[in-house]
Protein backbone atom coordinates (compact mmCIF):
# COMPACT_ATOMS: atom_id res chain seq x y z
CA UNK A 1 0.00 0.00 0.00
CA UNK A 2 1.18 3.42 -0.87
CA UNK A 3 1.27 6.50 1.30
CA UNK A 4 -1.66 8.06 -0.57
CA UNK A 5 -3.82 4.99 -0.02
CA UNK A 6 -3.00 4.87 3.73
CA UNK A 7 -3.80 8.58 4.07
CA UNK A 8 -7.14 8.11 2.28
CA UNK A 9 -8.01 5.10 4.47
CA UNK A 10 -7.06 6.98 7.67
CA UNK A 11 -9.13 10.00 6.61
CA UNK A 12 -12.13 7.81 5.80
CA UNK A 13 -11.95 5.95 9.13
CA UNK A 14 -11.48 9.22 11.05
CA UNK A 15 -14.51 10.82 9.37
CA UNK A 16 -16.58 7.68 10.05
CA UNK A 17 -15.63 7.73 13.74
CA UNK A 18 -16.43 11.44 14.02
CA UNK A 19 -19.82 10.91 12.34
CA UNK A 20 -20.68 8.00 14.69
CA UNK A 21 -19.63 10.01 17.77
CA UNK A 22 -21.71 12.98 16.62
CA UNK A 23 -24.81 10.79 16.13
CA UNK A 24 -24.36 9.14 19.54
CA UNK A 25 -23.92 12.50 21.31
CA UNK A 26 -26.93 14.03 19.54
CA UNK A 27 -29.08 11.07 20.53
CA UNK A 28 -28.03 11.43 24.20
CA UNK A 29 -28.65 15.18 24.31
CA UNK A 30 -32.05 14.98 22.62
CA UNK A 31 -33.27 12.04 24.70
CA UNK A 32 -36.53 12.54 26.57
CA UNK A 33 -36.30 12.87 30.36
CA UNK A 34 -36.32 9.63 32.30
CA UNK A 35 -39.81 8.77 33.56
CA UNK A 36 -38.33 7.61 36.85
CA UNK A 37 -37.32 11.18 37.84
CA UNK A 38 -39.44 13.84 39.53
CA UNK A 39 -39.01 17.57 40.17
CA UNK A 40 -38.38 18.37 43.84
CA UNK A 41 -37.92 21.73 45.59
CA UNK A 42 -34.79 21.89 47.78
CA UNK A 43 -33.28 24.66 49.88
CA UNK A 44 -30.29 26.42 48.30
CA UNK A 45 -29.59 28.42 51.46
CA UNK A 46 -30.27 27.80 55.14
CA UNK A 47 -33.85 28.78 55.97
CA UNK A 48 -34.19 29.63 59.69
CA UNK A 49 -37.23 28.77 61.79
CA UNK A 50 -39.99 31.36 61.45
CA UNK A 51 -38.66 32.96 58.26
CA UNK A 52 -40.75 33.43 55.15
CA UNK A 53 -39.40 31.36 52.24
CA UNK A 54 -38.09 33.53 49.41
CA UNK A 55 -37.50 32.55 45.76
CA UNK A 56 -33.69 32.78 46.01
CA UNK A 57 -33.67 30.30 48.92
CA UNK A 58 -35.05 27.37 46.89
CA UNK A 59 -34.45 25.61 43.58
CA UNK A 60 -35.89 22.65 41.69
CA UNK A 61 -33.85 19.48 41.14
CA UNK A 62 -34.73 16.11 39.60
CA UNK A 63 -34.61 13.07 41.85
CA UNK A 64 -35.67 9.42 41.53
CA UNK A 65 -39.38 9.11 42.34
CA UNK A 66 -38.89 6.43 44.97
CA UNK A 67 -36.63 8.74 47.06
CA UNK A 68 -39.01 11.72 47.10
CA UNK A 69 -41.19 12.26 50.24
CA UNK A 70 -44.95 12.36 49.68
CA UNK A 71 -45.32 15.92 51.01
CA UNK A 72 -42.61 17.44 48.82
CA UNK A 73 -43.24 20.19 46.27
CA UNK A 74 -42.59 20.13 42.52
CA UNK A 75 -42.39 23.88 41.83
CA UNK A 76 -40.69 26.71 43.71
CA UNK A 77 -43.76 28.96 43.51
CA UNK A 78 -45.63 26.44 45.69
CA UNK A 79 -43.37 27.24 48.68
CA UNK A 80 -42.48 30.91 48.21
CA UNK A 81 -44.28 33.03 50.80
CA UNK A 82 -44.82 30.21 53.30
CA UNK A 83 -43.27 30.21 56.78
CA UNK A 84 -40.63 27.69 57.88
CA UNK A 85 -41.84 25.88 61.00
CA UNK A 86 -38.49 24.05 61.26
CA UNK A 87 -34.99 25.22 60.33
CA UNK A 88 -33.90 23.84 56.96
CA UNK A 89 -30.31 23.37 55.88
CA UNK A 90 -28.86 23.84 52.40
CA UNK A 91 -29.82 20.81 50.29
CA UNK A 92 -32.82 19.78 52.41
CA UNK A 93 -35.98 18.77 50.57
CA UNK A 94 -38.68 21.35 51.32
CA UNK A 95 -41.63 19.42 52.75
CA UNK A 96 -45.18 20.43 53.57
CA UNK A 97 -44.76 19.30 57.19
CA UNK A 98 -42.05 21.95 57.63
CA UNK A 99 -44.06 24.88 56.29
CA UNK A 100 -47.07 26.91 57.40
CA UNK A 101 -49.32 29.11 55.31
CA UNK A 102 -48.69 32.81 55.65
CA UNK A 103 -52.17 34.30 55.77
CA UNK A 104 -51.10 37.85 56.51
CA UNK A 105 -50.25 39.29 59.88
CA UNK A 106 -47.05 38.40 61.60
CA UNK A 107 -44.75 35.45 61.34
CA UNK A 108 -45.44 34.49 64.96
CA UNK A 109 -49.19 34.38 64.42
CA UNK A 110 -48.86 32.07 61.42
CA UNK A 111 -46.81 29.58 63.46
CA UNK A 112 -49.50 29.14 66.12
CA UNK A 113 -52.27 26.68 65.31
CA UNK A 114 -55.83 28.03 65.47
CA UNK A 115 -56.70 25.87 68.49
CA UNK A 116 -53.55 26.82 70.46
CA UNK A 117 -52.45 29.80 72.57
CA UNK A 118 -49.06 31.42 72.89
CA UNK A 119 -47.70 32.70 76.18
CA UNK A 120 -45.09 35.31 76.88
CA UNK A 121 -42.56 35.83 79.60
CA UNK A 122 -41.11 39.02 80.95
CA UNK A 123 -38.43 40.41 78.63
CA UNK A 124 -36.42 43.57 78.42
CA UNK A 125 -35.61 45.69 75.37
CA UNK A 126 -32.51 43.62 74.58
CA UNK A 127 -34.31 40.28 74.25
CA UNK A 128 -37.73 41.62 73.32
CA UNK A 129 -39.87 40.22 70.55
CA UNK A 130 -41.01 43.50 69.04
CA UNK A 131 -42.35 43.28 65.52
CA UNK A 132 -43.80 39.77 65.82
CA UNK A 133 -47.36 41.01 66.23
CA UNK A 134 -49.04 43.19 63.69
CA UNK A 135 -52.38 45.00 63.52
CA UNK A 136 -55.18 42.47 63.24
CA UNK A 137 -53.55 39.86 65.49
CA UNK A 138 -55.66 38.99 68.52
CA UNK A 139 -54.04 38.71 71.94
CA UNK A 140 -55.14 37.96 75.51
CA UNK A 141 -53.64 40.27 78.13
CA UNK A 142 -53.15 39.05 81.70
CA UNK A 143 -51.75 41.08 84.56
CA UNK A 144 -50.78 40.32 88.14
CA UNK A 145 -50.64 42.71 91.07
CA UNK A 146 -49.13 42.27 94.52
CA UNK A 147 -51.33 43.42 97.36
CA UNK A 148 -49.80 44.27 100.72
CA UNK A 149 -46.29 43.73 101.95
CA UNK A 150 -44.94 40.16 101.93
CA UNK A 151 -42.68 40.91 104.94
CA UNK A 152 -45.56 41.61 107.37
CA UNK A 153 -46.05 39.15 110.23
Amino acid sequence: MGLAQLSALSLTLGLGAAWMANNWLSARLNASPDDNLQNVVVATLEIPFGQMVEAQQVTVVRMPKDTVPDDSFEAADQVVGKIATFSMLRGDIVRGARLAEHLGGSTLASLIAADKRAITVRVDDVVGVGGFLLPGNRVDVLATKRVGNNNES
Side-chain angles (χ1 to χ4, degrees):
M1 247 187 201
L3 186 59
Q5 292 172 334
L6 283 175
S7 296
L9 181 63
S10 297
L11 183 62
T12 304
L13 291 175
L15 288 173
W19 178 77
M20 287 175 45
N22 185 41
N23 285 344
W24 178 81
L25 188 58
S26 294
R28 296 292 281 172
L29 292 176
N30 295 329
S32 62
D34 187 1
D35 290 336
N36 193 34
L37 297 179
Q38 177 180 340
N39 287 346
V40 179
V41 178
V42 298
T44 56
L45 301 171
E46 184 176 342
I47 303 172
F49 166 78
Q51 184 177 14
M52 184 184 301
V53 178
E54 298 174 2
Q56 67 268 18
Q57 293 174 314
V58 294
T59 191
V60 176
V61 298
R62 295 191 55 78
M63 296 180 68
K65 287 182 180 179
D66 57 344
T67 63
V68 176
D70 292 335
D71 62 345
S72 64
F73 298 93
E74 293 188 7
D77 59 350
Q78 294 175 313
V79 300
V80 172
K82 293 188 178 189
I83 303 298
T85 57
F86 290 88
S87 294
M88 289 179 254
L89 300 175
R90 183 175 172 253
D92 282 352
I93 296 174
V94 179
R95 302 178 58 182
R98 295 181 173 194
L99 296 176
E101 292 292 330
H102 188 260
L103 303 175
S106 71
T107 301
L108 182 63
S110 65
L111 294 174
I112 302 169
D115 62 338
K116 302 292 181 192
R117 295 270 190 213
I119 63 167
T120 62
V121 295
R122 183 179 171 96
V123 296
D124 57 23
D125 291 337
V126 176
V127 294
V129 290
F132 280 111
L133 296 176
L134 296 175
N137 291 144
R138 301 180 83 174
V139 298
D140 296 328
V141 178
L142 302 175
T144 61
K145 180 179 179 185
R146 290 187 184 181
V147 178
N149 188 348
N150 291 341
N151 293 333
E152 291 180 2
S153 302

